[in-house]
Short mmCIF file of all heavy atoms in Angstrom, two decimals:
data_model
loop_
_atom_site.label_atom_id
_atom_site.label_comp_id
_atom_site.label_asym_id
_atom_site.label_seq_id
_atom_site.Cartn_x
_atom_site.Cartn_y
_atom_site.Cartn_z
N VAL A 19 11.70 17.23 -7.58
CA VAL A 19 12.25 16.43 -8.68
C VAL A 19 13.75 16.27 -8.40
O VAL A 19 14.43 17.22 -8.06
CB VAL A 19 12.06 17.16 -10.05
CG1 VAL A 19 12.74 16.43 -11.15
CG2 VAL A 19 10.60 17.37 -10.30
N ILE A 20 14.20 15.03 -8.55
CA ILE A 20 15.63 14.71 -8.35
C ILE A 20 16.16 14.28 -9.70
O ILE A 20 15.61 13.34 -10.32
CB ILE A 20 15.76 13.61 -7.29
CG1 ILE A 20 15.24 14.08 -5.94
CG2 ILE A 20 17.20 13.20 -7.21
CD1 ILE A 20 15.23 13.00 -4.91
N ASP A 21 17.22 14.88 -10.09
CA ASP A 21 17.88 14.51 -11.33
C ASP A 21 18.76 13.24 -11.05
O ASP A 21 19.81 13.40 -10.45
CB ASP A 21 18.73 15.61 -11.91
CG ASP A 21 19.46 15.27 -13.22
OD1 ASP A 21 19.11 14.20 -13.80
OD2 ASP A 21 20.30 16.02 -13.60
N ALA A 22 18.27 12.10 -11.48
CA ALA A 22 19.05 10.84 -11.19
C ALA A 22 19.64 10.28 -12.49
O ALA A 22 19.91 9.09 -12.55
CB ALA A 22 18.11 9.85 -10.56
N ALA A 23 19.86 11.13 -13.42
CA ALA A 23 20.47 10.69 -14.66
C ALA A 23 21.80 10.05 -14.41
O ALA A 23 22.68 10.57 -13.74
CB ALA A 23 20.59 11.84 -15.63
N GLY A 24 22.01 8.80 -14.92
CA GLY A 24 23.23 8.07 -14.78
C GLY A 24 23.44 7.51 -13.40
O GLY A 24 24.53 7.03 -13.01
N LYS A 25 22.42 7.44 -12.57
CA LYS A 25 22.56 6.91 -11.19
C LYS A 25 21.52 5.76 -11.00
O LYS A 25 20.59 5.55 -11.76
CB LYS A 25 22.27 7.97 -10.16
CG LYS A 25 23.28 9.15 -10.17
CD LYS A 25 22.96 10.18 -9.18
CE LYS A 25 23.98 11.21 -9.04
NZ LYS A 25 24.20 12.12 -10.14
N TRP A 26 21.72 4.98 -9.96
CA TRP A 26 20.81 3.88 -9.62
C TRP A 26 19.93 4.35 -8.47
O TRP A 26 20.44 4.96 -7.49
CB TRP A 26 21.60 2.67 -9.14
CG TRP A 26 22.30 1.95 -10.27
CD1 TRP A 26 23.54 2.27 -10.74
CD2 TRP A 26 21.79 0.92 -11.03
NE1 TRP A 26 23.87 1.41 -11.76
CE2 TRP A 26 22.77 0.57 -11.99
CE3 TRP A 26 20.59 0.21 -11.07
CZ2 TRP A 26 22.61 -0.46 -12.88
CZ3 TRP A 26 20.46 -0.84 -11.98
CH2 TRP A 26 21.47 -1.11 -12.88
N ILE A 27 18.64 4.02 -8.49
CA ILE A 27 17.76 4.28 -7.39
C ILE A 27 17.16 2.95 -6.97
O ILE A 27 16.64 2.18 -7.83
CB ILE A 27 16.66 5.25 -7.81
CG1 ILE A 27 17.25 6.54 -8.27
CG2 ILE A 27 15.62 5.45 -6.68
CD1 ILE A 27 16.25 7.52 -8.76
N VAL A 28 17.29 2.62 -5.70
CA VAL A 28 16.72 1.36 -5.18
C VAL A 28 15.76 1.65 -4.06
O VAL A 28 15.92 2.66 -3.32
CB VAL A 28 17.81 0.40 -4.70
CG1 VAL A 28 18.73 -0.02 -5.78
CG2 VAL A 28 18.62 1.02 -3.56
N PRO A 29 14.76 0.80 -3.84
CA PRO A 29 13.86 1.02 -2.74
C PRO A 29 14.55 0.60 -1.42
O PRO A 29 15.62 0.02 -1.48
CB PRO A 29 12.72 0.05 -3.02
CG PRO A 29 13.32 -1.00 -3.88
CD PRO A 29 14.43 -0.30 -4.64
N GLY A 30 13.92 0.98 -0.33
CA GLY A 30 14.51 0.54 0.97
C GLY A 30 14.42 -1.01 1.10
O GLY A 30 13.52 -1.62 0.60
N PHE A 31 15.43 -1.57 1.76
CA PHE A 31 15.41 -3.00 2.00
C PHE A 31 14.60 -3.32 3.24
O PHE A 31 14.47 -2.53 4.15
CB PHE A 31 16.87 -3.50 2.19
CG PHE A 31 17.73 -3.30 0.98
CD1 PHE A 31 18.72 -2.38 1.03
CD2 PHE A 31 17.50 -4.05 -0.13
CE1 PHE A 31 19.60 -2.14 -0.11
CE2 PHE A 31 18.29 -3.85 -1.31
CZ PHE A 31 19.35 -2.87 -1.24
N ILE A 32 14.05 -4.55 3.27
CA ILE A 32 13.30 -5.06 4.41
C ILE A 32 14.07 -6.22 5.02
O ILE A 32 14.34 -7.19 4.33
CB ILE A 32 11.92 -5.53 4.01
CG1 ILE A 32 11.15 -4.31 3.39
CG2 ILE A 32 11.15 -6.10 5.19
CD1 ILE A 32 9.79 -4.65 2.85
N ASP A 33 14.46 -6.09 6.29
CA ASP A 33 15.07 -7.20 7.02
C ASP A 33 14.00 -8.03 7.59
O ASP A 33 13.28 -7.59 8.54
CB ASP A 33 15.99 -6.56 8.11
CG ASP A 33 16.64 -7.61 9.01
OD1 ASP A 33 16.39 -8.80 8.80
OD2 ASP A 33 17.45 -7.20 9.86
N THR A 34 13.76 -9.26 7.06
CA THR A 34 12.64 -10.05 7.45
C THR A 34 12.91 -10.96 8.63
O THR A 34 12.07 -11.69 9.05
CB THR A 34 12.16 -10.90 6.28
OG1 THR A 34 13.19 -11.74 5.84
CG2 THR A 34 11.68 -10.05 5.13
N HIS A 35 14.14 -10.90 9.20
CA HIS A 35 14.41 -11.73 10.35
C HIS A 35 15.52 -11.07 11.16
O HIS A 35 16.65 -11.51 11.26
CB HIS A 35 14.83 -13.16 9.94
CG HIS A 35 14.89 -14.05 11.14
ND1 HIS A 35 14.00 -15.13 11.26
CD2 HIS A 35 15.68 -14.13 12.23
CE1 HIS A 35 14.28 -15.80 12.44
NE2 HIS A 35 15.31 -15.16 12.96
N HIS A 36 15.19 -9.90 11.74
CA HIS A 36 16.21 -9.20 12.52
C HIS A 36 16.39 -9.88 13.86
O HIS A 36 15.43 -10.23 14.54
CB HIS A 36 15.74 -7.75 12.75
CG HIS A 36 16.76 -6.95 13.45
ND1 HIS A 36 17.84 -6.43 12.69
CD2 HIS A 36 17.00 -6.66 14.71
CE1 HIS A 36 18.65 -5.75 13.58
NE2 HIS A 36 18.14 -5.94 14.78
N SER A 37 17.60 -10.08 14.24
CA SER A 37 17.88 -10.72 15.51
C SER A 37 19.04 -10.06 16.22
O SER A 37 20.17 -10.35 16.07
CB SER A 37 18.23 -12.21 15.33
OG SER A 37 19.31 -12.38 14.43
N GLY A 38 18.69 -9.03 16.96
CA GLY A 38 19.70 -8.32 17.73
C GLY A 38 19.69 -6.84 17.43
O GLY A 38 18.86 -6.34 16.63
N GLY A 39 20.56 -6.10 18.06
CA GLY A 39 20.65 -4.67 17.81
C GLY A 39 20.17 -3.80 18.94
O GLY A 39 20.39 -2.61 18.97
N PHE A 40 19.43 -4.40 19.85
CA PHE A 40 19.01 -3.62 21.02
C PHE A 40 18.99 -4.50 22.23
O PHE A 40 18.88 -5.68 22.15
CB PHE A 40 17.59 -3.01 20.86
CG PHE A 40 16.76 -3.72 19.91
CD1 PHE A 40 16.25 -4.97 20.09
CD2 PHE A 40 16.43 -3.05 18.69
CE1 PHE A 40 15.45 -5.56 19.18
CE2 PHE A 40 15.62 -3.67 17.74
CZ PHE A 40 15.16 -4.91 18.02
N PHE A 41 19.26 -3.91 23.36
CA PHE A 41 19.28 -4.65 24.59
C PHE A 41 19.01 -3.71 25.73
O PHE A 41 19.04 -2.54 25.55
CB PHE A 41 20.60 -5.34 24.84
CG PHE A 41 21.78 -4.43 24.83
CD1 PHE A 41 22.29 -3.89 26.09
CD2 PHE A 41 22.47 -4.10 23.70
CE1 PHE A 41 23.34 -3.00 26.03
CE2 PHE A 41 23.56 -3.20 23.73
CZ PHE A 41 23.98 -2.69 24.88
N GLU A 42 18.61 -4.25 26.85
CA GLU A 42 18.33 -3.48 28.00
C GLU A 42 19.35 -3.75 29.08
O GLU A 42 19.74 -4.90 29.24
CB GLU A 42 16.92 -3.68 28.53
CG GLU A 42 15.84 -3.21 27.60
CD GLU A 42 14.45 -3.55 28.08
OE1 GLU A 42 14.00 -4.62 27.86
OE2 GLU A 42 13.87 -2.64 28.72
N ASP A 43 19.77 -2.78 29.78
CA ASP A 43 20.59 -2.98 30.99
C ASP A 43 20.18 -2.04 32.06
O ASP A 43 19.16 -1.40 31.98
CB ASP A 43 22.09 -2.90 30.62
CG ASP A 43 22.50 -1.48 30.15
OD1 ASP A 43 21.75 -0.54 30.29
OD2 ASP A 43 23.61 -1.37 29.63
N ALA A 44 21.03 -1.89 33.05
CA ALA A 44 20.65 -1.02 34.20
C ALA A 44 20.51 0.44 33.78
O ALA A 44 19.85 1.22 34.41
CB ALA A 44 21.75 -1.17 35.34
N VAL A 45 21.21 0.83 32.68
CA VAL A 45 21.18 2.20 32.21
C VAL A 45 19.91 2.49 31.40
O VAL A 45 19.37 3.58 31.48
CB VAL A 45 22.47 2.53 31.41
CG1 VAL A 45 22.42 3.93 30.83
CG2 VAL A 45 23.71 2.33 32.22
N GLY A 46 19.42 1.50 30.68
CA GLY A 46 18.24 1.73 29.86
C GLY A 46 18.31 0.95 28.55
O GLY A 46 18.98 -0.04 28.44
N LEU A 47 17.57 1.45 27.58
CA LEU A 47 17.47 0.81 26.26
C LEU A 47 18.57 1.31 25.31
O LEU A 47 18.79 2.48 25.20
CB LEU A 47 16.12 1.10 25.69
CG LEU A 47 15.76 0.58 24.35
CD1 LEU A 47 15.67 -0.96 24.38
CD2 LEU A 47 14.43 1.13 23.85
N HIS A 48 19.19 0.39 24.64
CA HIS A 48 20.27 0.72 23.66
C HIS A 48 19.87 0.13 22.38
O HIS A 48 19.32 -0.98 22.31
CB HIS A 48 21.61 0.14 24.09
CG HIS A 48 22.00 0.58 25.41
ND1 HIS A 48 22.81 1.70 25.64
CD2 HIS A 48 21.80 0.06 26.66
CE1 HIS A 48 22.99 1.82 26.94
NE2 HIS A 48 22.40 0.86 27.58
N TRP A 49 20.16 0.76 21.19
CA TRP A 49 19.76 0.22 19.93
C TRP A 49 20.88 0.07 18.96
O TRP A 49 20.73 0.20 17.81
CB TRP A 49 18.58 0.91 19.32
CG TRP A 49 18.65 2.43 19.35
CD1 TRP A 49 19.28 3.27 18.45
CD2 TRP A 49 18.09 3.28 20.28
NE1 TRP A 49 19.13 4.55 18.79
CE2 TRP A 49 18.35 4.63 19.90
CE3 TRP A 49 17.31 3.09 21.42
CZ2 TRP A 49 17.94 5.68 20.64
CZ3 TRP A 49 16.89 4.18 22.13
CH2 TRP A 49 17.21 5.48 21.73
N GLY A 50 22.08 -0.22 19.53
CA GLY A 50 23.28 -0.57 18.80
C GLY A 50 23.30 -0.37 17.27
O GLY A 50 23.56 0.66 16.79
N ASP A 51 23.01 -1.47 16.53
CA ASP A 51 23.25 -1.41 15.10
C ASP A 51 22.08 -0.91 14.26
O ASP A 51 22.09 -1.02 13.02
CB ASP A 51 23.59 -2.82 14.59
CG ASP A 51 22.54 -3.80 14.68
OD1 ASP A 51 21.48 -3.54 15.28
OD2 ASP A 51 22.69 -4.93 14.08
N MET A 52 21.09 -0.28 14.89
CA MET A 52 19.92 0.24 14.14
C MET A 52 20.32 1.33 13.14
O MET A 52 19.84 1.34 12.05
CB MET A 52 18.82 0.71 15.05
CG MET A 52 18.22 -0.39 15.88
SD MET A 52 17.39 -1.63 14.84
CE MET A 52 18.64 -2.87 14.66
N LEU A 53 21.18 2.25 13.56
CA LEU A 53 21.62 3.29 12.67
C LEU A 53 22.46 2.71 11.53
O LEU A 53 22.34 3.19 10.38
CB LEU A 53 22.47 4.34 13.39
CG LEU A 53 21.62 5.21 14.37
CD1 LEU A 53 22.52 6.19 15.11
CD2 LEU A 53 20.56 6.02 13.58
N THR A 54 23.21 1.69 11.81
CA THR A 54 23.99 1.03 10.77
C THR A 54 23.09 0.34 9.74
O THR A 54 23.31 0.45 8.52
CB THR A 54 24.98 -0.04 11.36
OG1 THR A 54 25.80 0.66 12.31
CG2 THR A 54 25.78 -0.71 10.31
N SER A 55 22.04 -0.32 10.26
CA SER A 55 21.05 -0.88 9.36
C SER A 55 20.45 0.18 8.47
O SER A 55 20.34 -0.06 7.23
CB SER A 55 19.94 -1.65 10.17
OG SER A 55 20.44 -2.73 10.85
N LEU A 56 20.08 1.28 9.05
CA LEU A 56 19.47 2.34 8.28
C LEU A 56 20.43 2.88 7.18
O LEU A 56 20.07 3.14 6.08
CB LEU A 56 18.99 3.45 9.22
CG LEU A 56 17.94 4.43 8.66
CD1 LEU A 56 16.69 3.68 8.26
CD2 LEU A 56 17.64 5.45 9.76
N ALA A 57 21.73 3.03 7.62
CA ALA A 57 22.74 3.52 6.72
C ALA A 57 22.99 2.56 5.53
O ALA A 57 23.38 3.04 4.42
CB ALA A 57 24.04 3.73 7.45
N HIS A 58 22.67 1.28 5.75
CA HIS A 58 22.83 0.32 4.67
C HIS A 58 21.62 0.09 3.85
O HIS A 58 21.51 -0.81 3.05
CB HIS A 58 23.35 -1.05 5.21
CG HIS A 58 24.79 -1.05 5.59
ND1 HIS A 58 25.22 -1.09 6.90
CD2 HIS A 58 25.93 -0.85 4.89
CE1 HIS A 58 26.54 -1.03 6.94
NE2 HIS A 58 26.96 -0.85 5.72
N GLY A 59 20.57 0.96 4.09
CA GLY A 59 19.38 0.87 3.26
C GLY A 59 18.22 0.12 3.82
O GLY A 59 17.22 -0.05 3.16
N VAL A 60 18.36 -0.46 5.06
CA VAL A 60 17.22 -1.21 5.67
C VAL A 60 16.29 -0.15 6.28
O VAL A 60 16.63 0.53 7.20
CB VAL A 60 17.73 -2.14 6.75
CG1 VAL A 60 16.55 -2.79 7.49
CG2 VAL A 60 18.68 -3.20 6.20
N THR A 61 15.11 -0.04 5.66
CA THR A 61 14.15 0.96 6.10
C THR A 61 12.99 0.31 6.90
O THR A 61 12.27 1.05 7.56
CB THR A 61 13.55 1.76 4.91
OG1 THR A 61 12.89 0.80 4.05
CG2 THR A 61 14.65 2.53 4.21
N THR A 62 12.86 -1.00 6.84
CA THR A 62 11.89 -1.72 7.56
C THR A 62 12.50 -3.05 8.09
O THR A 62 13.27 -3.64 7.39
CB THR A 62 10.65 -2.05 6.71
OG1 THR A 62 10.16 -0.88 6.11
CG2 THR A 62 9.57 -2.79 7.44
N ALA A 63 12.13 -3.40 9.34
CA ALA A 63 12.63 -4.66 9.89
C ALA A 63 11.53 -5.41 10.60
O ALA A 63 10.57 -4.79 11.08
CB ALA A 63 13.77 -4.37 10.84
N TYR A 64 11.65 -6.74 10.63
CA TYR A 64 10.71 -7.59 11.36
C TYR A 64 11.57 -8.39 12.35
O TYR A 64 12.61 -8.99 11.98
CB TYR A 64 9.97 -8.52 10.40
CG TYR A 64 9.24 -9.59 11.09
CD1 TYR A 64 8.07 -9.32 11.79
CD2 TYR A 64 9.71 -10.89 11.04
CE1 TYR A 64 7.38 -10.28 12.47
CE2 TYR A 64 9.01 -11.91 11.75
CZ TYR A 64 7.85 -11.62 12.45
OH TYR A 64 7.18 -12.59 13.07
N ALA A 65 11.07 -8.51 13.60
CA ALA A 65 11.76 -9.28 14.58
C ALA A 65 10.88 -10.37 15.18
O ALA A 65 9.91 -10.08 15.87
CB ALA A 65 12.24 -8.38 15.75
N PRO A 66 11.13 -11.64 14.77
CA PRO A 66 10.33 -12.72 15.35
C PRO A 66 10.82 -12.97 16.81
O PRO A 66 11.97 -12.60 17.17
CB PRO A 66 10.67 -13.90 14.46
CG PRO A 66 12.01 -13.61 13.93
CD PRO A 66 12.12 -12.11 13.82
N ASN A 67 10.01 -13.55 17.59
CA ASN A 67 10.38 -13.86 19.00
C ASN A 67 10.84 -12.58 19.75
O ASN A 67 11.84 -12.57 20.45
CB ASN A 67 11.43 -14.95 19.05
CG ASN A 67 11.56 -15.51 20.41
OD1 ASN A 67 10.67 -15.48 21.24
ND2 ASN A 67 12.75 -16.06 20.71
N ALA A 68 10.11 -11.54 19.62
CA ALA A 68 10.46 -10.22 20.16
C ALA A 68 10.14 -10.07 21.61
O ALA A 68 9.11 -10.55 22.11
CB ALA A 68 9.76 -9.13 19.42
N GLY A 69 11.02 -9.37 22.38
CA GLY A 69 10.80 -9.09 23.77
C GLY A 69 10.33 -7.64 23.93
O GLY A 69 10.23 -6.91 22.94
N PRO A 70 10.24 -7.17 25.16
CA PRO A 70 9.74 -5.81 25.42
C PRO A 70 10.64 -4.77 24.80
O PRO A 70 10.12 -3.70 24.41
CB PRO A 70 9.77 -5.73 26.96
CG PRO A 70 9.67 -7.17 27.42
CD PRO A 70 10.35 -7.97 26.41
N SER A 71 11.97 -4.98 24.72
CA SER A 71 12.86 -3.92 24.18
C SER A 71 12.56 -3.64 22.71
O SER A 71 12.64 -2.54 22.25
CB SER A 71 14.32 -4.26 24.39
OG SER A 71 14.63 -5.44 23.76
N VAL A 72 12.16 -4.66 21.94
CA VAL A 72 11.79 -4.47 20.56
C VAL A 72 10.61 -3.55 20.40
O VAL A 72 10.62 -2.61 19.58
CB VAL A 72 11.59 -5.79 19.84
CG1 VAL A 72 11.11 -5.58 18.41
CG2 VAL A 72 12.77 -6.69 19.90
N TYR A 73 9.58 -3.79 21.19
CA TYR A 73 8.39 -2.95 21.15
C TYR A 73 8.67 -1.52 21.60
O TYR A 73 8.15 -0.55 21.03
CB TYR A 73 7.25 -3.61 21.95
CG TYR A 73 6.80 -4.89 21.40
CD1 TYR A 73 7.21 -6.12 21.96
CD2 TYR A 73 5.98 -4.91 20.27
CE1 TYR A 73 6.79 -7.31 21.44
CE2 TYR A 73 5.57 -6.11 19.77
CZ TYR A 73 5.99 -7.34 20.28
OH TYR A 73 5.56 -8.48 19.75
N ALA A 74 9.49 -1.41 22.60
CA ALA A 74 9.95 -0.06 23.11
C ALA A 74 10.67 0.67 21.98
O ALA A 74 10.41 1.89 21.72
CB ALA A 74 10.83 -0.15 24.31
N PHE A 75 11.59 0.01 21.26
CA PHE A 75 12.32 0.68 20.20
C PHE A 75 11.41 1.11 19.12
O PHE A 75 11.54 2.19 18.54
CB PHE A 75 13.41 -0.30 19.64
CG PHE A 75 14.14 0.32 18.47
CD1 PHE A 75 15.03 1.37 18.67
CD2 PHE A 75 13.81 -0.02 17.17
CE1 PHE A 75 15.67 1.98 17.62
CE2 PHE A 75 14.44 0.60 16.11
CZ PHE A 75 15.37 1.56 16.31
N ALA A 76 10.46 0.22 18.69
CA ALA A 76 9.49 0.52 17.63
C ALA A 76 8.72 1.78 17.98
O ALA A 76 8.50 2.62 17.12
CB ALA A 76 8.60 -0.65 17.36
N GLU A 77 8.28 1.87 19.23
CA GLU A 77 7.52 3.05 19.67
C GLU A 77 8.42 4.34 19.61
O GLU A 77 7.95 5.39 19.22
CB GLU A 77 7.05 2.85 21.08
CG GLU A 77 6.23 3.99 21.63
CD GLU A 77 4.81 4.09 20.97
OE1 GLU A 77 4.35 3.09 20.36
OE2 GLU A 77 4.32 5.22 20.95
N LEU A 78 9.67 4.25 19.96
CA LEU A 78 10.61 5.37 19.90
C LEU A 78 10.74 5.85 18.45
O LEU A 78 10.82 7.06 18.24
CB LEU A 78 11.96 5.02 20.52
CG LEU A 78 11.95 4.79 22.03
CD1 LEU A 78 13.34 4.29 22.48
CD2 LEU A 78 11.57 6.04 22.79
N VAL A 79 10.86 4.90 17.55
CA VAL A 79 10.98 5.31 16.13
C VAL A 79 9.74 5.95 15.63
O VAL A 79 9.78 7.00 14.98
CB VAL A 79 11.37 4.07 15.26
CG1 VAL A 79 11.29 4.40 13.75
CG2 VAL A 79 12.78 3.62 15.63
N GLU A 80 8.58 5.35 15.92
CA GLU A 80 7.29 5.88 15.47
C GLU A 80 7.04 7.29 15.98
O GLU A 80 6.40 8.09 15.35
CB GLU A 80 6.16 4.96 15.83
CG GLU A 80 6.09 3.66 15.09
CD GLU A 80 5.90 3.83 13.58
OE1 GLU A 80 5.07 4.68 13.21
OE2 GLU A 80 6.62 3.20 12.80
N THR A 81 7.44 7.58 17.22
CA THR A 81 7.20 8.93 17.79
C THR A 81 8.36 9.91 17.47
O THR A 81 8.24 11.05 17.87
CB THR A 81 7.09 8.77 19.30
OG1 THR A 81 8.26 8.23 19.89
CG2 THR A 81 5.82 7.96 19.70
N GLY A 82 9.37 9.48 16.71
CA GLY A 82 10.43 10.37 16.39
C GLY A 82 11.51 10.58 17.39
O GLY A 82 12.37 11.44 17.24
N VAL A 83 11.50 9.84 18.49
CA VAL A 83 12.46 9.99 19.56
C VAL A 83 13.77 9.31 19.11
O VAL A 83 14.86 9.83 19.43
CB VAL A 83 11.95 9.39 20.85
CG1 VAL A 83 13.04 9.41 21.96
CG2 VAL A 83 10.73 10.13 21.31
N ALA A 84 13.71 8.18 18.39
CA ALA A 84 14.89 7.46 17.94
C ALA A 84 14.90 7.43 16.40
O ALA A 84 13.84 7.49 15.81
CB ALA A 84 14.89 6.09 18.50
N ILE A 85 16.06 7.24 15.86
CA ILE A 85 16.23 7.09 14.43
C ILE A 85 16.58 5.67 14.12
O ILE A 85 17.45 5.06 14.73
CB ILE A 85 17.33 8.01 13.88
CG1 ILE A 85 16.96 9.48 14.14
CG2 ILE A 85 17.57 7.74 12.43
CD1 ILE A 85 18.07 10.42 13.87
N GLY A 86 15.84 5.04 13.20
CA GLY A 86 16.03 3.67 12.87
C GLY A 86 15.01 3.23 11.86
O GLY A 86 14.09 3.97 11.50
N PRO A 87 15.13 1.97 11.40
CA PRO A 87 14.10 1.45 10.49
C PRO A 87 12.78 1.24 11.21
O PRO A 87 12.71 1.05 12.44
CB PRO A 87 14.65 0.07 10.05
CG PRO A 87 15.68 -0.29 11.11
CD PRO A 87 16.18 0.99 11.67
N ARG A 88 11.66 1.29 10.45
CA ARG A 88 10.35 0.91 11.01
C ARG A 88 10.43 -0.52 11.49
O ARG A 88 10.97 -1.37 10.79
CB ARG A 88 9.28 1.09 10.00
CG ARG A 88 8.81 2.46 9.89
CD ARG A 88 7.67 2.56 8.88
NE ARG A 88 6.49 1.79 9.28
CZ ARG A 88 5.41 1.67 8.60
NH1 ARG A 88 5.28 2.26 7.46
NH2 ARG A 88 4.39 0.99 9.00
N PHE A 89 9.84 -0.79 12.60
CA PHE A 89 9.95 -2.14 13.18
C PHE A 89 8.60 -2.82 13.37
O PHE A 89 7.67 -2.18 13.82
CB PHE A 89 10.65 -2.13 14.53
CG PHE A 89 11.93 -2.85 14.54
CD1 PHE A 89 13.09 -2.24 14.18
CD2 PHE A 89 11.94 -4.19 14.85
CE1 PHE A 89 14.30 -2.93 14.11
CE2 PHE A 89 13.16 -4.90 14.79
CZ PHE A 89 14.28 -4.23 14.44
N PHE A 90 8.53 -4.05 12.96
CA PHE A 90 7.35 -4.87 13.22
C PHE A 90 7.86 -6.12 13.97
O PHE A 90 9.02 -6.58 13.74
CB PHE A 90 6.71 -5.32 11.89
CG PHE A 90 6.20 -4.18 11.10
CD1 PHE A 90 6.94 -3.50 10.14
CD2 PHE A 90 4.93 -3.62 11.37
CE1 PHE A 90 6.53 -2.40 9.42
CE2 PHE A 90 4.44 -2.51 10.67
CZ PHE A 90 5.27 -1.95 9.67
N ALA A 91 7.03 -6.69 14.82
CA ALA A 91 7.52 -7.78 15.67
C ALA A 91 6.35 -8.73 15.99
O ALA A 91 5.19 -8.34 15.93
CB ALA A 91 8.15 -7.28 16.93
N SER A 92 6.73 -9.95 16.34
CA SER A 92 5.77 -10.87 16.92
C SER A 92 6.25 -11.20 18.33
O SER A 92 7.43 -10.99 18.65
CB SER A 92 5.68 -12.07 16.10
OG SER A 92 6.91 -12.72 15.97
N GLY A 93 5.43 -11.63 19.16
CA GLY A 93 5.73 -11.97 20.54
C GLY A 93 6.68 -13.15 20.70
O GLY A 93 7.15 -13.74 19.76
N PRO A 94 6.93 -13.50 21.96
CA PRO A 94 7.82 -14.65 22.24
C PRO A 94 7.31 -15.94 21.64
O PRO A 94 6.10 -16.12 21.50
CB PRO A 94 7.83 -14.69 23.76
CG PRO A 94 7.33 -13.38 24.26
CD PRO A 94 6.44 -12.86 23.15
N SER A 95 8.23 -16.81 21.31
CA SER A 95 7.86 -18.14 20.79
C SER A 95 7.27 -19.00 21.82
O SER A 95 7.54 -18.84 23.04
CB SER A 95 9.06 -18.82 20.15
OG SER A 95 10.04 -19.04 21.13
N ILE A 96 6.46 -19.95 21.45
CA ILE A 96 5.84 -20.93 22.38
C ILE A 96 6.83 -22.09 22.49
O ILE A 96 7.28 -22.67 21.43
CB ILE A 96 4.50 -21.40 21.84
CG1 ILE A 96 3.54 -20.22 21.80
CG2 ILE A 96 3.93 -22.50 22.76
CD1 ILE A 96 2.24 -20.54 21.13
N ARG A 97 7.17 -22.47 23.65
CA ARG A 97 8.13 -23.54 23.82
C ARG A 97 7.51 -24.70 24.52
O ARG A 97 6.70 -24.65 25.34
CB ARG A 97 9.39 -23.05 24.58
CG ARG A 97 10.06 -21.99 23.81
CD ARG A 97 11.26 -21.46 24.54
NE ARG A 97 11.85 -20.40 23.68
CZ ARG A 97 12.84 -19.72 24.02
NH1 ARG A 97 13.42 -19.92 25.15
NH2 ARG A 97 13.33 -18.80 23.22
#
């Protein structure tokens, strides 16, 4: 039980069009602003036109290796 008298409680936010925050380079996978998103209340994110790094990040979060919002993604766009 949490005493929230006189306080506001809000649910986690969902970022429905995440574009950025992770990239791959010669060193490996980086997830830049994911902790910032989480700190601002984004608990779930969706990435359209996702590449391999998005799926890798989602797996790291699901397995507890990385900290960040839960991620859902769709594959590359058809051009």
